[in-house]
Amino acid sequence: MTVDGLISMLRQGFAALSDHRSKNCRYALADTLMTGFAIFHQKDPSLLAFRDQFPARSANMKTVYGLEKIPEDTGLRECLDGVNPDLLRASFKSLFRAAQSENLPADKRVLGDRLAVSMDGTGYFSSTEVHCDHCLTKERSKSPTLYHHQLLAAVVTAPRQETVPPLHAEPIVNADGHTKNDCERNALKRLLPKVHQIVDNQSVVAVLDALYADGPAILALREEKMDYIIGIKEGYVLVQVERLVKEQKLEQIVTVSKGVQKTFRWTRNLILNGSHRQILVNFFGCEETDMKTGKTIFKNTWITNLEASAKLIFQMMDVARSRWKIENETFNTLKNQGYHLEHNYGHGEKHLSTVFALLILLAFTVDQLAQCAD
């Protein structure tokens, strides 16, 4: 579980992939993928910067990454452009299995030996000029069409844990021949079975934002036998909750600490909505009030299939609020702390932009697992 060991494991996985090119290529696919990975693991801001630094790093490049020489930028981009992004799923799985073999996820278990997996979408490319057939498009009345790519990431998050190792990410891009934009909801349906495959038989509680508080998402979670905690901001569940508040039928705990009053409320078996009356969900919420001013300083509500209780409500709240780690500790780090997720290293005509984004996420995963093991 050292950095070098994890990188060696990735290289073995890259070597096992079938090459989509002809057999007379100057650089093996494993070397090309490892070159791309090394760029992001070294946190270089551009391909040019990586190439300029390569001579000074040659010993390290050979020892750690197995690279004695690297392809030209054009050759690198052309090779990676043809790689099916789904082939990289095996790399994420091998990293998780390595962590599992060292029992690293143990300190991240919540709510009865479950892995809390937060899933959320983020953008990693946008342009009004550069685009490919897989780009999402946004038509704007007074501005040029915006072309962009996104991904939906699945990250292990846990209360009071600094590390957030990713499990996988699903590209949100248009499929071949499709003119209608892909979306996060569709990506979730594709991502859930892949996460299930990566974690094997581990119990998972998916932690999601209000975008997924609907019937199709909950049915997809049920299909993969995943528990869930999903934020809600509006809808029929809250209508039922308001009625129960007036009737004083919600279970409740009130705590006071450091001038802040926290009110926890929960109930069970509420109808999700009119379109999915057969889906019953449990509810819990928290409101924090400044006792000096009487002002509300925090308020949020969630639905879940887990049954709240006076014993579990505090941990459920911690897990629900840990979802913000995917935004703060993951996406913010990837974009602003050296990984350059939003930098355009090359867009390509097929999969290059997506492959680069997944290699960045693999570099982040290696760093996160090494930090867990340290």
Side-chain angles (χ1 to χ4, degrees), residues 95-316:
L95 291 176
F96 178 78
R97 282 186 170 177
Q100 190 178 8
S101 69
E102 297 290 333
N103 204 30
L104 286 189
D107 61 351
K108 296 183 181 296
R109 302 291 180 179
V110 298
L111 298 169
D113 203 34
R114 293 176 174 87
L115 277 178
V117 179
S118 296
M119 305 182 205
D120 201 4
T122 191
Y124 58 89
F125 167 82
S126 65
S127 174
T128 57
E129 298 179 358
V130 179
H131 60 92
C132 67
D133 292 340
H134 297 290
C135 278
L136 306 174
T137 59
K138 182 181 292 184
E139 302 293 340
R140 302 178 295 179
S141 59
K142 296 183 180 180
S143 302
T145 298
L146 180 68
Y147 302 97
H148 59 110
H149 286 222
Q150 296 174 284
L151 58 79
L152 182 68
V155 175
V156 178
T157 57
R160 292 169 292 280
Q161 293 287 325
E162 293 183 2
T163 52
V164 283
L167 290 175
H168 195 35
E170 178 66 23
I172 306 173
V173 294
N174 288 334
D176 290 329
H178 287 218
T179 56
K180 185 178 179 181
N181 275 347
D182 192 15
C183 67
E184 284 191 36
R185 287 191 177 96
N186 289 338
L188 180 72
K189 295 175 185 176
R190 301 192 300 269
L191 179 61
L192 289 178
K194 295 175 182 178
V195 169
H196 192 175
Q197 182 191 47
I198 288 171
V199 301
D200 292 324
N201 296 319
Q202 304 293 309
S203 296
V204 168
V205 53
V207 188
L208 303 163
D209 66 18
L211 178 66
Y212 304 101
D214 60 19
I218 291 175
L219 292 174
L221 288 159
R222 285 183 179 179
E223 182 71 20
E224 300 303 325
K225 296 180 174 58
M226 290 185 185
D227 298 311
Y228 59 85
I229 294 175
I230 306 175
I232 55 171
K233 297 180 179 179
E234 57 186 8
Y236 187 52
V237 168
L238 293 183
V239 172
Q240 297 168 83
V241 168
E242 289 178 8
R243 184 178 69 245
L244 292 173
V245 169
K246 292 178 181 178
E247 297 173 356
Q248 297 184 343
K249 291 184 178 180
L250 285 183
E251 296 187 70
Q252 177 174 301
I253 289 179
V254 179
T255 65
V256 177
S257 176
K258 298 179 180 181
V260 176
Q261 175 179 292
K262 297 182 180 181
T263 303
F264 302 89
R265 296 187 177 96
W266 67 93
T267 190
R268 68 190 73 174
N269 294 332
L270 301 181
I271 296 171
L272 178 62
N273 54 42
S275 301
H276 297 89
R277 299 185 66 85
Q278 80 282 10
I279 298 179
L280 299 181
V281 297
N282 300 329
F283 162 88
F284 69 99
C286 176
E287 184 171 354
E288 298 181 3
T289 305
D290 187 317
M291 297 187 69
K292 278 189 176 181
T293 64
K295 292 183 178 180
T296 299
I297 55 179
F298 173 82
K299 183 178 182 180
N300 218 327
T301 49
W302 295 268
I303 55 174
T304 180
N305 67 317
L306 302 174
E307 190 166 316
S309 65
K311 183 178 180 181
L312 285 178
I313 189 65
F314 302 106
Q315 188 176 170
M316 290 176 67

